[in-house]
Amino acid sequence: MAEKKTKTYTLEEVGQHNTSTSTWLVIHDNVYNVTKFLDEHPGGEEVLLEQAGHNASESFEDVGHSQDARELMCEYLIGELDEKDKVKSAKVKETEELPSTPSDGGGQNRQSKSCCVT
């Protein structure tokens, strides 16, 4: 079976989608189009619109989303961040490292390579 090619987007491209009619976010190097989710977001559309067109990884993790919320993200995944822009967002990633505790497996990072953030 042929492997599905993932669409890549630059931060500049993502940045053009920062309105209520076209709302894109970057979370852990994945690009999500959450426009259709604005009305359904439990925290209100305002919090998504504040992050629209940007890397929202830190804000996403600060809130402490449930596993159900993380799984729901798969529905809105449209691609991944271009390799050259992943370097630019590395500073955000560095702040997401969890402290080492017995319950988290010894300081595992919150990042995920799958479509959902786990």
Side-chain angles (χ1 to χ4, degrees):
M1 187 155 107
E3 186 176 320
K4 185 178 176 183
K5 186 173 180 177
T6 303
K7 175 86 171 125
T8 59
Y9 298 94
T10 65
L11 282 174
E12 183 177 347
E13 289 173 304
V14 173
Q16 295 172 7
H17 299 272
N18 60 1
T19 67
S20 62
T21 57
S22 184
T23 311
W24 291 13
L25 306 169
V26 174
I27 300 176
H28 301 299
D29 294 333
N30 289 317
V31 179
Y32 299 90
N33 180 346
V34 296
T35 309
K36 293 180 181 178
F37 185 63
L38 291 177
D39 291 334
E40 300 172 34
H41 187 256
E45 70 179 36
E46 297 81 18
V47 294
L48 294 175
L49 289 171
E50 285 176 8
Q51 298 297 319
H54 301 285
N55 187 326
S57 301
E58 185 173 7
S59 296
F60 178 84
E61 293 301 347
D62 285 349
V63 172
H65 286 85
S66 68
Q67 187 60 37
D68 287 343
R70 293 168 186 275
E71 291 171 6
L72 182 64
M73 292 173 62
C74 291
E75 295 179 33
Y76 302 97
L77 179 72
I78 59 171
E80 67 178 305
L81 200 57
D82 188 270
E83 286 297 324
K84 68 179 172 59
D85 287 326
K86 287 181 182 181
V87 174
K88 292 179 185 176
S89 65
K91 289 182 181 178
V92 172
K93 287 183 183 180
E94 289 171 8
T95 65
E96 296 162 2
E97 187 68 29
L98 295 171
S100 181
T101 64
S103 65
D104 73 4
Q108 292 188 357
N109 198 308
R110 294 182 189 193
Q111 300 172 65
S112 174
K113 295 293 182 189
S114 67
C115 72
C116 302
V117 178
T118 57

